[in-house]
C-alpha cells in the first residue's frame, strides 16, 4: 500500500516535470507557468500537484503509524517552519500570482532576499518530512518534488522577463534566485 501511494505520488511529480521540460518541445505550449488560469496547463498542473502531494501525505500517515517517526522534534520543527513559511510567503506574493497570474512584481519583504522564498521554505519543510520518515517510499517522491522546485525558477524566469521587462531584470540582478545563488 505504501509503495503504491509512493508510486502514485512520484508519478504526479514526474508528469509535471516531463510536461514542463518536454511539453514545449512537443508543441504543447509552455506548461509552467501557465499562460491562463483556464488553460489545460493550469488545470492539469493543479490536479497533478495534488496527485503528487495527497498520496505522499497518506503514505506518511500510514508509515508513521506503523513504524513511528524518527527525530520528531527536529523533523517536526523543520516541517512546520518550512511549510508554515511557504504558506506565509505565498500569501505575501498573492495566491493568484503563485499560480501563474502576472499582477505585479513583488520585490519587498522576504522577496528582497530571495526571488523564490516559497521554494526555499518548502524545501526546508520537505527536509523535515524526510527526517521524520527516512524511508525510501517517502524520500523518493520528496526528492522529485524538490527537483521540481529547483527547476521551476529556471522555467519561470523567461516568463517573468517577458512580463516585467527591465523591472524584473534589475530585481534579478540584485536578488539571488534562492538564498545563496
Amino acid at each position: 500500500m505504501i509503495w503504491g501511494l509512493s508510486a502514485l505520488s512520484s508519478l504526479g511529480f514526474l508528469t509535471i516535470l516531463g510536461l514542463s521540460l518536454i511539453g514545449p518541445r512537443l508543441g504543447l505550449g509552455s506548461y509552467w507557468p501557465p499562460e491562463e488560469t483556464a488553460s489545460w496547463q493550469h488545470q492539469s498542473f493543479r490536479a497533478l500537484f495534488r496527485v503528487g502531494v495527497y498520496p505522499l501525505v497518506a503514505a506518511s500517515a500510514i508509515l508513521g503509524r506503523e513504524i513511528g517517526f524518527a527525530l520528531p522534534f527536529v523533523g517536526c520543527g523543520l516541517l512546520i517552519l518550512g511549510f508554515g513559511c511557504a504558506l506565509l510567503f505565498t500569501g505575501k506574493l498573492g495566491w493568484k500570482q503563485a499560480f501563474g497570474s502576472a499582477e505585479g512584481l513583488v520585490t519587498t519583504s522576504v522577496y528582497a532576499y530571495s526571488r523564490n522564498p516559497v521554494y526555499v521554505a518548502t524545501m526546508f519543510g520537505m527536509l523535515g518530512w524526510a527526517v521524520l520518515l527516512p524511508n525510501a517510499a517517502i524520500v523518493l517522491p520528496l526528492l522529485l518534488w524538490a527537483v521540481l522546485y529547483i527547476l521551476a525558477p529556471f522555467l519561470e524566469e523567461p516568463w517573468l522577463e517577458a512580463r516585467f521587462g527591465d523591472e524584473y531584470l534589475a530585481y534579478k540582478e540584485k536578488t539571488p534566485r534562492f538564498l545563496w545563488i
Side-chain angles (χ1 to χ4, degrees):
M1 171 74 112
I2 290 168
W3 276 104
L5 291 167
S6 177
L8 185 59
S9 176
S10 297
L11 181 63
F13 293 127
L14 279 171
T15 304
I16 292 171
L17 280 166
L19 287 169
S20 296
L21 297 174
I22 299 167
R25 289 166 183 82
L26 298 176
L28 299 175
S30 174
Y31 189 73
W32 184 259
E35 292 299 319
E36 301 174 12
T37 56
S39 68
W40 73 270
Q41 292 96 329
H42 186 270
Q43 299 302 318
S44 64
F45 176 86
R46 290 175 58 118
L48 288 168
F49 192 78
R50 288 180 174 107
V51 169
V53 173
Y54 293 170
L56 181 57
V57 170
S60 298
I62 293 167
L63 192 61
R65 191 166 172 213
E66 286 179 2
I67 65 169
F69 297 101
L71 301 172
F73 293 112
V74 174
C76 280
L78 284 169
L79 187 138
I80 291 168
L81 182 66
F83 286 111
C85 285
L87 287 172
L88 178 69
F89 301 159
T90 301
K92 291 212 176 284
L93 178 63
W95 288 97
K96 286 182 180 180
Q97 288 203 166
F99 293 99
S101 173
E103 295 179 2
L105 187 61
V106 177
T107 62
T108 59
S109 181
V110 68
Y111 290 88
Y113 303 100
S114 169
R115 295 192 315 263
N116 299 285
V118 174
Y119 296 150
V120 172
T122 300
M123 285 190 224
F124 279 102
M126 287 188 274
L127 177 62
W129 200 332
V131 166
L132 277 173
L133 291 163
N135 181 290
I138 303 304
V139 173
L140 175 63
L142 287 172
L143 285 173
L144 292 170
W145 187 359
V147 167
L148 180 63
Y149 274 20
I150 290 167
L151 293 178
F154 296 96
L155 300 170
E156 294 168 351
E157 287 173 3
W159 182 83
L160 289 163
E161 287 176 21
R163 300 287 172 303
F164 300 111
D166 290 339
E167 183 184 7
Y168 180 73
L169 292 173
Y171 173 59
K172 185 177 172 181
E173 188 70 30
K174 69 176 183 167
T175 309
R177 180 177 285 122
F178 296 109
L179 286 176
W180 50 93
I181 57 170

